[in-house]
């Protein structure tokens, strides 16, 4: 499996300086990426969607799909920078990234802000809790209804939004910077439940190997989401070129070979479309 590398702050500054001049038109964006030899992608560090090793190597289902497609488009490499979910779209719009490939699920407000590719990764929501689920939390509404329950979730992410929409007060929704911190906060009793997509929670729980914790999955009445690679609205031509290669990848079976070892379903991604997932945004 080929891997990319995490971009350091210093390297990112150099690359930003090198690529500061915008393309004259949307159709020039792909040519610009070919000439510079790399595409800058925003990722989280949330296995199995995205992962960054101690040596800086980037993997995970989303970057692996992006790398394969950009190679087919003539862009030899991807360089990644870690971003909180809430900062990804502003960073993309500001030109700090060429694409977001991070399990950024399609939602109405996001579909209005970026140009998504066709679906790539699909997942549901899960809770990590103390063994025995002492507060009997199986839904976001359960958390809202229990005045003592605190939930941890990524800032700007789907889980934070679902909790707030269910009526959990802001002061009981604790922003957590990364998965390892979420599990530690749960173990220390600083939160009562930590929420992420099913595959991410399973990965964290396997690594924690803590018999005092358990999982609720899927979360009751929580939706199933799919992500796609996200591009700036003015880079629709690049998105369309990405989609052409994504379709070929799906039809050839190579798509399944990339994502299914991570636990994702190629069939799920191929059973829906950007049009359906973004319909509520229109």
């Amino acid at each position: 499996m080929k891997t990319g590398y995490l971009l350091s702050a210093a390297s990112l500054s150099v690359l930003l300086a090198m690529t500061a001049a915008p393309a004259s038109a949307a159709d020039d964006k792909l040519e610009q990426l070919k000439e510079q030899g790399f595409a800058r992608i925003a990722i989280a560090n949330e296995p199995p969607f995205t992962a960054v090793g101690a040596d800086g190597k980037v993997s995970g289902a989303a970057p692996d799909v992006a790398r394969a497609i950009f190679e087919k488009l003539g862009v030899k490499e991807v360089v990644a920078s870690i971003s909180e979910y809430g900062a990804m779209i502003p960073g993309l719009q500001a030109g700090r990234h060429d694409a977001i490939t991070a399990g950024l699920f399609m939602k109405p407000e996001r579909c209005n802000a970026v140009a998504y590719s066709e679906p790539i990764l699909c997942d549901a929501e899960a809770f990590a809790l103390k063994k025995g689920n002492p507060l009997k939390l199986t839904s976001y509404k359960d958390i809202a209804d229990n005045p003592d329950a605190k939930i941890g979730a990524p800032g700007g992410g789907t889980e934070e939004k679902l909790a707030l929409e269910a009526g959990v007060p802001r002061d009981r929704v604790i922003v957590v910077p990364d998965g390892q911190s979420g599990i530690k906060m749960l173990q220390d009793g600083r939160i009562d439940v930590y929420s992420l997509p099913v595959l991410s929670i399973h990965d964290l729980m396997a690594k924690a190997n803590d018999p005092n914790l358990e999982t609720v999955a899927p979360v009751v009445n929580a939706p199933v989401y799919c992500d796609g690679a996200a591009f700036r609205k003015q880079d629709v031509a690049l998105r369309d070129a990405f989609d052409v290669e994504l379709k070929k990848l799906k039809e050839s079976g190579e798509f399944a070979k990339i994502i299914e070892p991570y636990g994702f379903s190629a069939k799920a991604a191929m059973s829906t479309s950007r049009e359906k997932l973004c319909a509520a945004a229109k």
Side-chain angles (χ1 to χ4, degrees):
M1 180 184 297
K2 297 181 70 177
T3 55
Y5 287 85
L6 183 66
L7 208 58
S8 69
S11 299
L12 180 58
S13 298
V14 172
L15 292 176
L16 285 173
M18 292 169 58
T19 60
S24 58
D27 289 347
D28 295 334
K29 183 65 176 181
L30 179 55
E31 291 306 315
Q32 176 192 337
L33 297 183
K34 288 179 182 178
E35 289 175 9
Q36 71 187 26
F38 59 86
R40 300 163 302 166
I41 59 173
I43 66 168
N45 187 8
E46 186 185 320
F49 292 88
T50 58
V52 181
D55 57 0
K57 289 184 178 179
V58 175
S59 61
D64 285 0
V65 170
R67 184 179 297 109
I69 292 176
F70 275 117
E71 283 185 355
K72 293 178 185 298
L73 290 173
V75 182
K76 296 180 181 179
E77 189 55 274
V78 295
V79 290
S81 56
I82 293 178
S83 174
E84 288 189 356
Y85 284 102
M88 287 179 180
I89 290 177
L92 178 71
Q93 293 170 331
R96 291 192 290 274
H97 320 298
D98 299 309
I100 300 169
T101 60
L104 191 71
F105 295 139
M106 296 186 203
K107 298 190 292 185
E109 64 273 19
R110 290 174 179 168
C111 292
N112 286 328
V114 302
Y116 270 110
S117 72
E118 289 294 334
I120 297 176
L121 306 176
C122 299
D123 201 3
E125 298 294 340
F127 288 163
L129 319 97
K130 289 292 181 68
K131 186 72 175 179
N133 191 2
L135 298 183
K136 308 304 178 188
L137 305 175
T138 62
S139 70
Y140 291 100
K141 186 177 185 302
D142 288 344
I143 300 169
D145 290 344
N146 188 325
D148 297 323
K150 293 183 178 180
I151 179 173
T158 298
E159 295 76 22
E160 180 187 41
K161 185 172 187 292
L162 287 172
L164 293 171
E165 287 179 344
V168 184
R170 176 73 264 182
D171 65 350
R172 292 201 279 117
V173 181
I174 312 303
V175 173
V176 177
D178 55 63
Q180 291 74 21
S181 299
I183 295 298
K184 183 67 166 57
M185 291 170 71
L186 180 61
Q187 291 168 325
D188 292 346
R190 295 168 60 192
I191 57 176
D192 300 290
V193 55
Y194 182 48
S195 183
L196 282 176
V198 173
L199 292 170
S200 299
I201 286 291
H202 283 171
D203 180 81
L204 287 170
M205 294 288 273
K207 290 175 180 175
N209 192 27
D210 185 343
N212 295 312
L213 302 180
E214 68 176 52
T215 301
V216 169
V219 172
V220 174
N221 295 326
V224 174
Y225 290 109
C226 296
D227 83 339
F231 301 86
R232 294 186 302 166
K233 285 288 190 178
Q234 57 265 50
D235 292 337
V236 171
L238 175 60
R239 188 279 309 275
D240 290 346
F242 188 96
D243 270 347
V244 168
E245 295 303 328
L246 175 59
K247 182 179 180 182
K248 292 178 183 177
L249 213 65
K250 289 177 177 178
E251 291 174 345
S252 71
E254 187 177 350
F255 177 70
K257 290 179 181 178
I258 294 173
I259 72 167
E260 291 189 346
Y262 288 104
F264 292 99
S265 166
K267 183 177 180 181
M270 295 167 70
S271 68
T272 187
S273 68
R274 173 179 61 244
E275 182 179 7
K276 291 178 182 178
L277 293 166
C278 287
K282 297 178 181 178

